[in-house]
Amino acid sequence: MKLYVFNPDADMALGNNEENYMAPATIRRMAEDLALLPIWYARPGSGVLAPSAYNADYLKQMQQLFRLDVQLVTEPELPDYADMQVMPWGWNPAIRKRMLKGGVAESLLPSAADLSRYRRLASRANVRLLYACGGEAGNMSYLCGGEGVLVTADDFANKGREAVQELLLRWQDCGCICKSLWSGSGKGLCWYRQEEMEKVIDWCCRALRTDGAFWLEPIYNKVEDFAMEFYADGKGGVRFVGYSRFVTDGKGAYRGNLLATDMQVEEWIQTYVPLEAFHRLRESVRKGLAALGTDYTGFLGVDMMVCRQEKGHPYAVNPCVEVNLRMNMGIVAHTFCDRFVAPGGEGFFSIEYFPAQEALQEQHARDMLEHPLRVEQGRVVSGYLPLIPVTPRSRYRAFVRVG
């Protein structure tokens, strides 16, 4: 049996690297509102850590509609589940301390040394390793990217803001994105365009002080986002899990996933690149991930982009925008589509934030009325389904809309 925990502050807590880290209020709200989300991807017979209020009734309703063999576990009940393997959204010192304090056996938790190695692997600095490890895909047509660089504090020792400005000016023709080493879902990004120089210099200097480095890459002519999802067994084995097509806003922040089968994604990608080349890329990335080492067990995703090119083939794939060394929404959407969407069905999975509870309640009621849910034999045929209970206190919702 496994115990699943949704801790959406995983990347920020990993960057902070302190066991007493406290996430911003909006992220704590997200963790509470979406605590039950793992019921849709948890292994049968597992537990999901969440408050019982609201969640217990919602879980019973979902168990009547779908084949959900999961149970609710509350924080006071943790000592009764001390021997279960903990499956958080992502590991960091703060979630380790929380589980240890709750009564989980220390032998089942990663050690401080384990977390230190994991933190190094999860850094964006490892993006460049996938390009180097690509092997057969390294010389493959239909690829772009690889121009990113790791900028370290040693590069700017005793040089000040002028040196950072000089670096940015080298990228002013195409523009660039500065990325903190530990962040995800479109967070921790700073976009440089000519009119924003001072703001970006401030961001870079702060990143060099706090993390000692940041990742810098050009702004590509992106057409669409997608990802390849994998599972690492901790022994050097990495297997392909599936594809993920997702949507971001103008600043790269995650907005949602298309509910699509792997076959549908492969049909889609062929409008841009040949399928045989795409399969070669997938195998190359899998081998590259395996070459990173054996210090991680769990799901991971590699975000990619289809980009438009001015020369050669009109489209190319940037094979490694970033690696998410943790559970991610793409895997949630992929798993939900496989387990709970009727064959041939298509739809959208999304996480939304509402500044006012009343606005969320109104949108939830409107979606239930305009998109009535239809479930047959434990699979969604059409309609709107909230994946967590929407309560009077909720600010976040996770949902799918099918049909």
Side-chain angles (χ1 to χ4, degrees), residues 147-293:
E147 295 92 349
V149 295
L150 182 66
V151 181
T152 70
D154 291 340
D155 299 330
F156 295 93
N158 304 316
K159 294 182 181 178
R161 294 172 60 89
E162 293 77 13
V164 177
Q165 179 175 347
E166 182 180 339
L167 170 70
L168 294 173
L169 286 173
R170 299 176 202 162
W171 298 79
Q172 65 179 348
D173 291 340
C174 62
C176 64
I177 311 173
C178 304
K179 301 181 176 182
S180 58
L181 296 188
W182 294 280
S183 66
S185 302
K187 308 296 184 183
L189 306 184
C190 186
W191 297 69
Y192 166 56
R193 299 177 178 91
Q194 290 179 340
E195 68 277 9
E196 301 173 349
M197 174 69 79
E198 291 303 317
K199 172 185 172 183
V200 179
I201 292 175
D202 290 341
W203 188 98
C204 293
C205 291
R206 184 166 58 252
L208 292 173
R209 286 196 307 272
T210 57
D211 296 335
F214 62 87
W215 183 258
L216 186 151
E217 63 186 32
I219 298 176
Y220 296 101
N221 191 359
K222 184 181 74 172
V223 178
E224 297 198 61
D225 291 294
F226 71 100
M228 293 183 184
E229 312 292 355
F230 299 88
Y231 183 85
D233 63 9
K235 302 175 183 178
V238 175
R239 64 175 173 85
F240 173 69
V241 172
Y243 303 113
S244 162
R245 285 187 62 192
F246 62 97
V247 178
T248 60
D249 65 14
K251 293 186 177 181
Y254 172 81
R255 285 292 172 260
N257 270 85
L258 300 181
L259 296 176
T261 65
D262 289 342
M263 184 178 295
Q264 290 168 332
V265 173
E266 290 191 345
E267 290 175 356
W268 161 79
I269 198 66
Q270 290 179 75
T271 62
Y272 298 109
V273 299
L275 185 60
E276 185 272 337
F278 189 64
H279 283 166
R280 275 210 326 275
L281 169 62
R282 187 181 77 186
E283 177 60 13
S284 177
V285 170
R286 189 195 66 78
K287 291 180 179 178
L289 291 170
L292 290 180

